[in-house]
């Protein structure tokens, strides 16, 4: 794990393991889950031990997330559920604008600020419409990275909006964008590859339009972390310095140099350290100056995305965090551009940012329920009898003898005895029941060793993994591949915590497993202010009492990257907006039904139903089932086709008196 450089004090102190089940407060939970670090100003914990949301920080209104969950379920909308807070989106856009406006005012910057939202980060219609509506007062625009995204941007933006067209383009993409330049908005077509220039020139001539063009520069400065390769000399996107000069010469020769109005770069997403940003902006600012000197009228300087989200709340340069504030980011961008322009006596351009993650990550929370557990807990060890094999007596003695000064030795003894028991079984000297008892005694030893380690100042290295081995697995009603694919694909960390019971001590350490039949469908790394944790502190499950977890800050990239592994489809989603008296659910977006996902993989539900009906009739004719069972099967089949793809907590069909074998 990389070391962290912090510019600020940590907002939350590292957690010590839960000890007493009785003396526990909501504040202790807040510290355990570090909610102040990653959640301020939107999320915190109330005295009732529930997570609360302040969608519009500062206006005093709070939404109890647990009560909201019950409220949504009352409407028949089941978990897993995405809750999107529209006011958080507006707040994010407002904060970004304020920071740039302040930075510009402070240094007397002559250009303006234009934020744009990259549609690729989350294309959901209601979200994009919220962004467009909230962004209106800030002249907020959209970035499109493909033809389909351009179609969205053209349809949903209003007058004077900026649309920046990135991504690889064909003639129809470019022509659509050029024609839209005749609308009452500013549409920039950014050349990403040298080949696009030819297509653009031909299209401009064909249409008789003088287009507004931009160029994406391939900078030498590189980003950091997972997306470092988005920049640098061998980056996939953008034009090299030689290609940029070629574009300038060609446009000049075509009498179109005045079409080049924007310089763009993007050094990757989740840039956790401010230094790469500064270097990239400095390099690009000098490029801007040089292009201006070559006669390009430009006027817009687009710094792309990359503004990071502090997922772990550590305020460091760790990959899940960021070691700078929004104010610092804005000030650095503005002053770097200003310095380069002033030095060269070039007019200061309007600055565009394409922050995606930082705009939409906070607004959405995935809520899901724990539906079961598997734990290695066996109560008190049972003493072997006189007839029991020697190896069982040895394990029992090891178990009773664990103490701080011999934890390592006890561990070696337990491992050795377990291996011996397995080998005795393989050669027929131990019966199955004896092996089962040996396994139980081994886990008892591990539990005692682990508990003893909690009291030690330094834990022997070889025992560090024991806590994870001993952790419970909590089975959760969601699909990691559908709802948080980046956890699986790139080890992304999201803050995860219970949204209730926070006044109770979370005395179970667990990892999370999703519903898919895939061993990768589990979460075993969690945020920590100093490092990553391999288990999460959770509460013991109680019969008949639901246990809800929230995965926070997951509004960026996850929804569209999610897939249909095991045919678990899109989850339900609701949009929540605060009102004078509380909140209103403005949109309900029903998740996929089984029918929807089956059609996606070319099945026809009606044909499937008919095929199963015919098989049931044959079974009935042969008396393999009775008519009641046939009716129940068909009702199950039909109902499953129309229902949510996730587990239902309701028993839809109480046993209806069928018997087996059929009468
Ligand atoms: N702009 C471009 C060109 C991108 O490729 C991306 C995503 O990688 C973004 C903006 C958004 O980046 P982020 O979500 O890190 O702000």
């Amino acid at each position: 794990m990389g070391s962290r450089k912090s510019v600020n004090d940590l907002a939350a102190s590292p957690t010590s393991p839960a000890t007493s089940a009785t003396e526990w407060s909501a504040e202790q939970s807040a510290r355990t889950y570090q909610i102040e670090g990653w959640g301020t100003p939107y999320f915190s914990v109330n005295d009732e031990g529930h997570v609360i949301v302040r969608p519009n920080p500062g206006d005093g209104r709070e939404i109890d997330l647990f009560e909201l969950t019950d409220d949504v379920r009352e409407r028949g909308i089941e978990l897993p559920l995405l809750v999107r807070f529209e006011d958080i989106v507006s707040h994010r856009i407002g904060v970004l604008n304020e920071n740039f406006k302040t930075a510009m005012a402070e240094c007397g910057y002559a250009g303006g600020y234009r934020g744009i939202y990259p549609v690729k980060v989350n294309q959901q219609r209601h979200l994009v419409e919220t962004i467009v509506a909230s962004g209106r007062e800030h002249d907020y625009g959209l970035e499109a990275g493909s033809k389909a995204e351009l179609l969205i941007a053209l349809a949903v933006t209003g007058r004077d909006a900026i649309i920046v067209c990135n991504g690889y383009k064909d003639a129809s993409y470019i022509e659509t964008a050029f024609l839209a330049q005749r609308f009452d908005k500013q549409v920039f077509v950014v050349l990403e590859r040298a080949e696009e220039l030819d297509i653009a020139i031909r299209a401009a001539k064909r249409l008789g339009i003088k287009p507004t063009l931009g160029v994406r520069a391939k900078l030498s400065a590189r980003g950091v972390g997972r997306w470092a390769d988005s920049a640098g000399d061998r980056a996939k996107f953008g034009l090299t310095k030689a290609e940029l000069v070629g574009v300038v010469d060609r446009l000049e020769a075509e009498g179109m140099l005045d079409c080049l109005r924007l310089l763009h770069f993007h050094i990757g997403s989740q840039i956790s350290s401010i230094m790469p940003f500064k270097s990239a902006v400095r390099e690009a600012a000098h490029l801007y100056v040089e292009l201006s000197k070559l006669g390009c009228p430009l006027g817009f300087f687009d710094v792309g995305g990359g503004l990071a989200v502090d997922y772990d709340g550590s305020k460091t340069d760790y990959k899940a965090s960021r070691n700078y504030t929004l104010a610092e980011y804005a000030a650095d961008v503005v002053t770097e551009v200003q310095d380069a322009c002033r030095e060269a006596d070039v007019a200061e351009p309007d600055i565009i940012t394409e922050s995606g993650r930082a705009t939409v990550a906070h607004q959405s929370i995935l809520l899901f329920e724990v539906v079961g557990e598997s734990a290695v807990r066996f109560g008190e060890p049972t003493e072997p009898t006189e007839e029991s094999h020697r190896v069982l007596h040895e394990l029992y003695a090891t178990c009773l003898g664990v103490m701080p000064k011999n934890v390592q030795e006890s561990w070696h003894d337990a491992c050795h005895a377990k291996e011996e028991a397995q080998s005795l079984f393989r050669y027929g000297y131990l019966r199955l029941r004896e092996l089962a008892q040996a396994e139980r005694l081994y886990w008892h030893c591990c539990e005692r060793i682990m508990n003893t380690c909690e009291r030690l100042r330094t834990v022997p290295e070889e025992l560090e993994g024991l806590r994870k081995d001993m952790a419970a697995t909590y089975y959760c009603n969601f699909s990691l591949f559908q709802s948080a694919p980046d956890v699986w694909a790139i080890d992304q960390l999201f803050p995860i915590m219970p949204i209730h019971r926070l006044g109770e001590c979370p005395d179970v350490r667990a990892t999370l497993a999703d519903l898919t039949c895939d061993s990768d469908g589990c979460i075993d790394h969690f945020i920590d202010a100093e490092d990553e944790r391999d288990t999460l502190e959770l509460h013991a499950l109680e019969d008949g009492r639901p246990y809800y977890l929230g995965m926070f800050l997951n509004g960026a990239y996850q929804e569209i990257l999610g897939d249909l592994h095991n045919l678990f489809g899109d989850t339900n989603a609701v949009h929540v907006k605060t009102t004078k008296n509380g909140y209103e659910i403005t949109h309900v977006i029903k998740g996929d039904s089984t029918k929807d996902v089956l059609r996606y993989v070319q099945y026809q539900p009606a044909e499937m139903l008919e095929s199963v009906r015919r098989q049931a009739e044959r079974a009935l004719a042969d008396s393999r089932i009775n008519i009641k069972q046939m009716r129940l099967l068909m009702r199950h089949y039909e109902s499953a086709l129309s229902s949510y793809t996730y587990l239902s907590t309701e028993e839809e069909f109480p046993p209806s008196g069928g018997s087996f074998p059929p009468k």
Side-chain angles (χ1 to χ4, degrees):
M1 247 142 250
S3 68
R4 300 172 178 221
K5 291 176 218 98
S6 171
V7 287
N8 294 334
D9 288 333
L10 297 183
S13 60
T15 324
S16 49
T19 45
S20 158
T22 47
E23 297 156 21
W24 192 263
S25 65
E27 290 99 275
Q28 277 168 292
S29 285
R31 279 199 297 281
T32 298
Y33 300 110
Q34 303 155 75
I35 194 167
E36 203 183 314
W38 55 262
T40 305
Y42 304 112
F43 309 109
S44 70
V45 173
N46 68 10
D47 292 341
E48 280 175 80
H50 298 169
V51 169
I52 49 164
V53 186
R54 292 192 197 92
N56 231 323
D59 74 358
R61 281 177 289 183
E62 296 178 348
I63 298 175
D64 182 317
L65 192 55
F66 180 64
E67 285 173 10
L68 173 71
T69 308
D70 276 347
D71 197 19
V72 173
R73 290 192 74 178
E74 290 268 304
R75 290 167 164 79
I77 303 163
E78 280 305 314
L79 268 54
L81 170 75
L82 266 178
V83 187
R84 303 198 191 108
F85 291 92
E86 296 185 357
D87 308 72
I88 294 186
V89 179
S90 315
H91 186 258
R92 300 298 303 160
I93 293 174
V95 167
L96 197 59
N97 271 275
E98 271 161 36
N99 277 286
F100 268 94
K101 298 258 158 80
T102 307
M104 288 176 164
E106 273 172 6
C107 66
Y109 190 82
Y113 169 67
R114 304 294 299 267
I116 61 174
Y117 169 70
V119 175
K120 69 164 91 51
V121 181
N122 193 330
Q123 299 96 335
Q124 300 295 323
R125 173 182 165 187
H126 299 297
L127 176 67
V128 173
E129 286 177 351
T130 304
I131 291 171
V132 170
S134 321
R136 208 156 281 140
E137 64 175 298
H138 306 289
D139 292 329
Y140 220 67
L142 294 178
E143 184 257 8
S146 67
K147 210 187 303 181
E149 288 176 0
L150 172 63
L151 303 187
I152 295 176
L154 289 178
V156 301
T157 50
R159 303 174 72 88
D160 300 328
I162 283 194
I163 297 177
V164 173
C165 304
N166 290 326
Y168 291 163
K169 302 166 203 73
D170 58 12
S172 110
Y173 182 150
I174 288 180
E175 282 190 7
T176 309
F178 282 0
L179 289 165
Q181 289 175 347
R182 293 286 165 100
F183 291 1
D184 46 12
K185 33 190 142 206
Q186 274 178 293
V187 183
F188 294 91
V189 173
V190 177
L191 306 173
E192 299 250 7
R193 293 177 302 143
E195 297 78 14
E196 285 172 4
L197 180 60
D198 278 335
I199 310 176
I201 291 173
R202 281 200 301 274
K205 287 184 178 161
R206 228 178 3 255
L207 300 172
I209 286 179
K210 259 212 153 176
T212 313
L213 298 175
V215 275
R216 175 165 176 171
K218 204 176 264 190
L219 299 184
S220 317
R222 287 165 63 93
V224 282
R226 180 71 187 62
W227 291 277
D229 291 342
S230 298
D233 297 330
R234 300 295 301 149
K236 175 176 167 193
F237 309 98
L239 306 176
T240 61
K241 310 296 184 301
E243 285 169 332
L244 283 173
V245 172
V247 167
V248 171
D249 291 345
R250 177 82 195 282
L251 285 176
E252 194 161 26
E254 299 284 348
M256 289 174 67
L257 195 53
D258 55 340
C259 297
L260 192 53
R261 301 298 317 281
L262 177 145
L263 175 67
H264 166 61
F265 67 91
H266 171 74
I267 60 165
S269 197
Q270 187 63 15
I271 305 294
S272 54
S273 165
I274 195 68
M275 290 318 291
F277 260 130
K278 281 169 79 90
S279 322
V281 176
R282 189 170 304 153
E283 182 183 341
H286 284 282
L287 203 51
Y288 182 91
V289 162
E290 289 301 318
L291 287 170
S292 302
K293 287 187 172 164
L294 289 177
C296 309
L298 292 174
F300 292 88
F301 183 83
D302 177 351
V303 304
L307 178 58
V309 167
D310 194 0
Y311 291 101
D312 69 8
S314 67
K315 298 179 174 50
T316 61
D317 67 350
Y318 192 55
K319 63 176 187 175
S321 186
R322 67 165 196 226
N323 71 356
Y324 52 92
T325 61
L326 244 170
E328 185 181 353
Y329 167 75
D332 283 352
V333 171
V334 171
T335 50
E336 289 294 348
V337 179
Q338 186 175 54
D339 288 351
C341 289
R342 282 199 175 162
E343 222 170 84
D345 203 18
V346 165
E348 290 159 12
D350 281 356
I351 292 175
I352 296 177
T353 61
E354 301 181 357
S355 297
R357 189 185 292 278
T359 307
V360 295
H362 300 76
Q363 51 81 34
S364 131
I365 305 170
L366 176 76
L367 298 173
F368 53 98
E369 190 173 351
V370 179
V371 289
E373 70 173 318
S374 123
V376 274
R377 276 190 246 120
F378 302 103
E380 283 306 305
T382 29
E383 190 174 355
T385 60
E386 264 179 34
E387 297 81 53
S388 298
H389 195 282
R390 169 191 48 84
V391 77
L392 295 178
H393 286 281
E394 280 174 19
L395 270 167
Y396 187 67
T398 303
C399 187
L400 296 189
V402 178
M403 58 181 90
K405 65 176 187 202
N406 73 2
V407 274
Q408 212 162 355
E409 189 187 338
S410 302
W411 166 247
H412 294 153
D413 291 349
C415 292
H416 180 262
K418 184 185 79 170
E419 272 164 34
E420 193 185 348
Q422 283 166 342
S423 142
L424 287 166
F425 178 75
R426 271 197 298 276
Y427 291 103
Y429 297 111
L430 215 57
R431 304 263 60 84
L432 180 60
R433 281 188 191 286
E434 290 175 305
L435 180 64
Q437 193 184 357
E439 273 180 11
R440 275 198 300 273
L441 285 169
Y442 166 78
W443 286 114
H444 277 300
C445 293
C446 293
E447 194 169 10
R448 287 182 182 212
I449 291 167
M450 191 185 70
N451 292 341
T452 310
C453 281
E454 302 274 6
R455 308 206 301 269
L456 298 182
R457 257 173 204 284
T458 45
V459 176
E461 207 179 318
E462 62 180 326
L463 296 182
E464 274 170 6
L466 195 55
R467 197 176 54 197
K468 187 171 172 208
D469 292 345
M470 293 293 298
T473 304
Y474 272 27
Y475 295 102
C476 305
N477 189 9
F478 83 115
S479 159
L480 188 72
F481 303 90
Q482 176 61 253
S483 294
D486 277 346
V487 173
W488 162 66
I490 56 169
D491 288 334
Q492 161 119 22
L493 292 169
F494 290 104
I496 300 173
M497 66 180 286
I499 61 163
H500 59 135
R501 297 183 62 183
L502 298 169
E504 300 169 39
C505 176
D507 50 9
V508 178
R509 289 186 193 269
T511 58
L512 305 180
D514 75 355
L515 292 182
T516 64
C517 307
D518 192 318
S519 52
D520 277 351
C522 66
I523 307 182
D524 57 5
H525 48 286
F526 302 93
I527 62 154
D528 186 90
E530 294 189 334
D531 209 325
E532 290 178 20
R533 297 184 202 178
D534 48 19
T535 57
L536 186 64
E537 283 98 331
L538 293 174
H539 302 90
L541 301 182
E542 290 177 1
D543 277 348
R545 191 177 178 197
Y547 190 50
Y548 301 138
L549 301 182
M551 182 185 287
F552 292 78
L553 314 188
N554 86 332
Y557 298 105
Q558 303 315 293
E559 280 182 67
I560 205 63
L561 289 177
D563 65 38
L564 289 177
H565 198 1
N566 275 139
L567 298 184
F568 290 110
D570 278 351
T571 64
N572 291 324
V574 292
H575 280 235
V576 177
K577 194 166 172 44
T578 47
T579 60
K580 245 198 266 150
N581 305 322
Y583 59 83
E584 181 191 337
I585 296 194
T586 52
H587 300 287
V588 174
I589 301 111
K590 288 288 275 177
D592 286 329
S593 69
T594 308
K595 265 187 213 164
D596 297 331
V597 296
L598 288 171
R599 287 203 186 100
Y600 188 77
V601 282
Q602 299 92 47
Y603 291 92
Q604 290 310 322
E607 285 171 17
M608 295 165 71
L609 190 64
E610 183 52 17
S611 159
V612 170
R613 192 193 60 74
R614 269 188 265 118
Q615 294 176 66
E617 286 289 357
R618 280 202 299 275
L620 183 67
D622 295 347
S623 301
R624 282 178 272 132
I625 57 172
N626 64 29
I627 194 124
K628 267 189 184 166
Q629 288 169 332
M630 173 178 163
R631 198 176 79 194
L632 182 62
L633 169 68
M634 295 315 294
R635 280 173 63 194
H636 270 308
Y637 199 92
E638 263 191 281
S639 150
L641 284 173
S642 311
S643 65
Y644 202 22
T645 56
Y646 294 89
L647 296 187
S648 165
T649 46
E650 281 165 26
E651 269 216 17
E652 285 170 68
F653 301 112
S656 59
S659 60
F660 198 87
K663 296 199 174 105

